[in-house]
Amino acid sequence: MTVIRRTRLLLAMTFLMGLSACAVDRSTVSIDPPESIANPVNGVDVKLVSVTDSRLFEFRPTTPDIPSLSEDEINNDSIKARAFARKRNSYGKALGDVVLPENQTVAGIMKPALENAFRAAGYRVLEPGNPEFDKAIPVEVKVIQFWSWIEWGFWELGLHNKAEVS
């Protein structure tokens, strides 16, 4: 085998190993908060008292739409609070997790989105310090689902997301 051929083979193997490593390792993805919608002039006053993450994770779920983590992190609350997807290969085997950076959580990114949803529906979302804050209707939110996954098809690759709050 010539030196050039060995070099090409070594470069190809290094490249392929690099590609497989990025899928197996954890990926950190930051999600920017949405631009804030202004409160309507009139509307029912509400205050978001809490946004809690009530998602359930499984180890080796039967389908990719079920939130999952590796066996050694399934009980790690700080990872669960940040996890929102899992990479999978074309056979559906779970690979690396996709999480938010350490300064973000799923509940934290849902709060401004929920505030915008209330405002778009005609509610006035009040913050502590607003004159009518104490009289506003308290709202407690539970994040039931927030998960993204890929489904491989013959001709296409589908990216899906499921979000549910209570």
Side-chain angles (χ1 to χ4, degrees):
M1 195 183 276
T2 67
V3 173
I4 292 175
R5 196 167 179 188
R6 284 184 192 162
T7 305
R8 285 183 181 164
L9 182 62
L10 181 63
L11 286 173
M13 289 176 60
T14 304
F15 178 72
L16 289 173
M17 285 173 47
L19 283 178
S20 66
C22 67
V24 174
D25 289 345
R26 171 171 291 142
S27 296
T28 302
V29 177
S30 180
I31 298 177
D32 295 329
E35 243 181 78
S36 184
I37 297 174
N39 267 330
V41 177
N42 296 319
V44 176
D45 293 343
V46 297
K47 58 184 173 186
L48 287 178
V49 176
S50 65
V51 179
T52 56
D53 190 342
S54 298
R55 298 176 299 152
L56 300 175
F57 287 81
E58 292 183 15
F59 175 63
R60 291 189 182 156
T62 55
T63 58
D65 63 320
I66 298 170
S68 64
L69 287 168
S70 62
E71 186 175 18
D72 40 324
E73 293 187 330
I74 193 83
N75 296 316
N76 184 330
D77 290 338
S78 67
I79 296 295
K80 288 195 310 190
R82 297 172 32 221
F84 69 94
R86 188 116 188 245
K87 295 178 273 185
R88 295 181 177 271
N89 66 15
S90 57
Y91 300 107
K93 182 180 184 290
L95 301 172
D97 306 323
V98 182
V99 299
L100 296 166
E102 290 190 25
N103 63 338
Q104 286 186 318
T105 63
V106 168
I109 64 169
M110 291 297 286
K111 187 175 187 281
L114 291 163
E115 289 172 344
N116 278 350
F118 273 110
R119 289 177 179 136
Y123 291 87
R124 292 173 12 105
V125 180
L126 302 183
E127 300 288 333
N130 290 121
E132 300 296 315
F133 180 79
D134 291 334
K135 296 177 185 173
I137 298 170
V139 177
E140 295 180 1
V141 178
K142 288 184 180 181
V143 179
I144 307 298
Q145 284 281 349
F146 188 84
W147 194 247
S148 298
W149 70 97
I150 291 176
E151 285 189 21
W152 296 85
F154 185 72
W155 294 106
E156 64 186 6
L157 181 69
L159 179 61
H160 304 275
N161 178 274
K162 188 189 309 184
E164 179 185 351
V165 295
S166 168

